Each structure stands twice: as structure tokens, then as C-alpha cells.
Amino acid sequence: MSNTHADANLYNPEPDIGGLAISLRSLYAAILTRAIKDIFKPTYSDHDIFKSQAIHWIKANDSESITSFVNICNHLDIDVDEFRHVINDELSRIERGLS
């Protein structure tokens, strides 16, 4: 994917769009938080669907979508591989019955 000037501004905001950058960062944090809650703290009766969708979203190596796990982590300065490792470790602990 080619990086256009508009795309670059989302990741490296100019001073005159600082408020937008903060709002975008908050939105990305909320999306990531929702995925984590869907995996570990389900609140819906059909939580298995939300959990599987969240796990699929985290595992996907999509760099095209601005709201992909990879791009959100990059924008939030989170190491994608390390975050995936932590999620997988916690899922393994839960499956083994460990708290």
C-alpha cells in the first residue's frame, strides 16, 4: 500500500490537527480495549462470536485497513508481536484453568 500524504498525517500529525490526532488515538485505544474485553470479559449472551471475531482481528496481518489490529498497535506504539504473545499466553492460561 502506498502511503499518501493524508495517511501520513494520521500517524504524524501536524500541529494544526493535534486535537484530531488525540481523538483518533482515543478511538484506537477504545477499539483495542473492546477487543480485549470481548476476549477476556464477555458481556453478551453470544460472547463466543465476539470472542472469536476479536481473536481473528488480532491474528490478522492486515496492514491495509486503518482500523486493523496491526495499524492500531503501530499508531499506539504497541509492539504487535509482543501484544499477540501476551494475549496467547493469557488464553493458554485460561484454557489450562489457571488464573
Side-chain angles (χ1 to χ4, degrees), residues 8-71:
N9 282 343
L10 291 175
Y11 297 104
N12 300 310
E14 296 175 15
D16 61 335
I17 62 167
L20 175 63
I22 292 169
S23 295
L24 188 58
R25 188 170 176 84
S26 295
L27 174 62
Y28 285 169
I31 292 170
L32 190 56
T33 300
R34 178 75 263 160
I36 294 166
K37 285 182 179 180
D38 285 346
I39 294 170
F40 296 109
K41 296 200 181 269
T43 58
Y44 304 100
S45 60
D46 52 356
H47 64 272
D48 288 336
I49 294 169
F50 290 99
K51 179 179 179 177
S52 66
Q53 288 174 340
I55 291 171
H56 174 76
W57 179 72
I58 288 170
K59 288 182 178 181
N61 285 317
D62 177 10
S63 60
E64 296 291 319
S65 172
I66 196 164
T67 57
S68 71
F69 174 76
V70 172
N71 285 330

